[in-house]
Amino acid sequence: MADETSEQGPVTTLATPIRLDFEFTPGIAQSKFLRGLERGEFLGQRCGTCGKVYVPSRGTCPTDGVLTTEDVLLGNSGTVTTFCVVNVPFAGQSIEIPYICAQILLDGANLSFMGLIQEIPTDQIRMGMRVEAVWVDESELIPSLASVRYFRPNGEPDADYETYKEYL
Amino acid sequence: MADSEVLHAEHRLEYPYSRSTGPIIGAFLTGLRDGRFLGATGTDGKIIVPPTEYDPLTGDDVGELVEVGPGGVIESWAWVSQPLRKHPLQTPFAWALIRLDGADTALLHAVAAPGPDALATGARVTAKFRDADERIGSMADLEAFVLEGGAS
């Protein structure tokens, strides 16, 4: 009886999707940052002890362990500290390859964050390049980094290595 | 900052894994799709259901696959009064270890019953499979077990 063959052929694979639904809250500090994005602004926070400005701020200074209570409005431009040109396709990719992923140090900030660089051939990206954020249309701004479409060169001369070497 | 300004968002983390079943589990799942249970014969002659790839005593390959069930006996059980979304039944039910007729080990599955008073260790149950066109080769092809000759 066990050697009967099923019409559809034997089962050889089993779909075992793993799914986790949860509610995420970014907390007070990051909510401020995200609300800033909703207005088309980069909002950071300064540590009252060491003076460093974090963006996005986690609400405390990781060096001094104190709450960061002073909000700081940052500029729309920054400096590419490091970058990666993505040439390899992967599942779930939403951007056409090749594209540039860079760490960007916003003017006035002491912490870089990752952003997409566009409007430049991938072989022309370099450390120290000055870039500016390109936002979605005002009507499409949401409390998410998706409000920043990408960064692009802003035409300024490259930043001196000394100005960003602490942030690599 | 007012509490109302703190953001919340629904997140979903999902991975669409697909696993290779191998010949033994594959045969077991193929059996479920056909509406029957297959067990593996161990080196000591005992019938293991659900089948393992290897004999749990010796590590040798298991022997012939044989059909068991679809009736069986509840070995132990726990009543679930508030089913969760991912549970096989959305009305109160029991998780139970069921030793199918002809098997020497027990299978974990849901038992549909009107209430915990209707269940007992040693009670006879039988498998209720989904309709043939709904079966895909999965434990979910088995809708639940129901009390033999009783209301579910």
Side-chain angles (χ1 to χ4, degrees):
Chain A
M1 63 182 88
D3 55 359
E4 280 174 27
T5 311
S6 180
E7 287 172 22
Q8 297 158 277
V11 174
T12 57
T13 58
L14 178 66
T16 56
I18 292 177
R19 182 169 135 181
L20 181 65
D21 293 304
F22 59 100
E23 183 172 321
F24 173 76
T25 175
I28 294 171
Q30 286 191 90
S31 289
K32 280 188 176 181
F33 170 74
L34 294 166
R35 293 293 188 198
L37 295 175
E38 198 173 20
R39 297 188 298 269
E41 298 172 350
F42 291 115
L43 197 61
Q45 284 195 316
R46 189 191 316 276
C47 171
T49 302
C50 69
K52 282 186 174 168
V53 174
Y54 300 107
V55 60
S57 171
R58 308 289 185 195
T60 58
C61 176
T63 304
D64 300 301
V66 296
L67 294 176
T68 48
T69 52
E70 184 192 345
D71 296 336
V72 181
L73 183 60
L74 298 161
N76 199 50
S77 286
T79 300
V80 171
T81 59
T82 64
F83 64 89
C84 166
V85 177
V86 179
N87 288 293
V88 182
F90 54 87
Q93 200 163 45
S94 57
I95 309 162
E96 202 175 318
I97 56 170
Y99 64 87
I100 305 161
C101 197
Q103 283 297 127
I104 296 156
L105 182 66
L106 286 177
D107 295 345
N110 297 95
L111 181 68
S112 64
F113 66 86
M114 195 156 66
L116 178 69
I117 311 283
Q118 301 263 275
E119 295 190 29
I120 179 179
T122 53
D123 61 356
Q124 288 181 28
I125 184 70
R126 54 196 179 268
M127 292 169 70
M129 176 174 272
R130 296 283 297 154
V131 293
E132 64 186 6
V134 178
W135 298 78
V136 297
D137 290 340
E138 199 167 335
S139 62
E140 294 172 5
L141 286 169
I142 55 170
S144 157
L145 270 173
S147 290
V148 180
R149 290 176 63 203
Y150 53 80
F151 286 80
R152 67 181 172 200
N154 70 356
E156 293 175 12
D158 283 4
D160 184 11
Y161 179 68
E162 293 298 315
T163 64
Y164 63 86
K165 69 174 184 182
E166 299 293 326
Y167 305 101
L168 299 178
Chain B
M1 190 172 192
D3 278 354
S4 59
E5 291 175 67
V6 176
L7 292 159
H8 296 265
E10 298 298 323
H11 276 225
R12 174 175 298 166
L13 184 64
E14 194 168 36
Y15 296 103
Y17 283 121
S18 183
R19 299 175 60 164
S20 167
T21 57
I24 304 298
I25 308 298
F28 174 71
L29 295 174
T30 304
L32 292 180
R33 195 181 60 192
D34 293 341
R36 61 199 189 123
F37 295 101
L38 295 179
T41 311
T43 51
D44 57 356
K46 289 189 172 172
I47 307 299
I48 305 155
V49 185
T52 51
E53 294 271 347
Y54 301 100
D55 186 284
L57 298 174
T58 64
D60 293 337
D61 287 351
V62 288
E64 193 190 358
L65 293 171
V66 296
E67 186 164 347
V68 296
V73 174
I74 292 178
E75 287 201 334
S76 68
W77 56 283
W79 188 252
V80 180
S81 54
Q82 293 179 304
L84 302 176
R85 183 170 52 79
K86 289 180 179 175
H87 281 166
L89 297 174
Q90 294 303 298
T91 51
F93 70 98
W95 284 118
L97 283 169
I98 296 149
R99 186 161 44 79
L100 293 169
D101 297 338
D104 293 290
T105 65
L107 172 97
L108 179 71
H109 213 288
V111 176
D117 293 343
L119 292 175
T121 297
R124 296 271 319 158
V125 291
T126 192
K128 184 180 174 190
F129 282 93
R130 295 186 192 284
D131 291 340
D133 59 353
E134 292 178 9
R135 298 199 296 259
I136 57 170
S138 151
M139 279 307 278
D141 290 351
L142 185 57
E143 196 172 316
F145 283 82
V146 293
L147 289 163
E148 223 170 56
S152 55

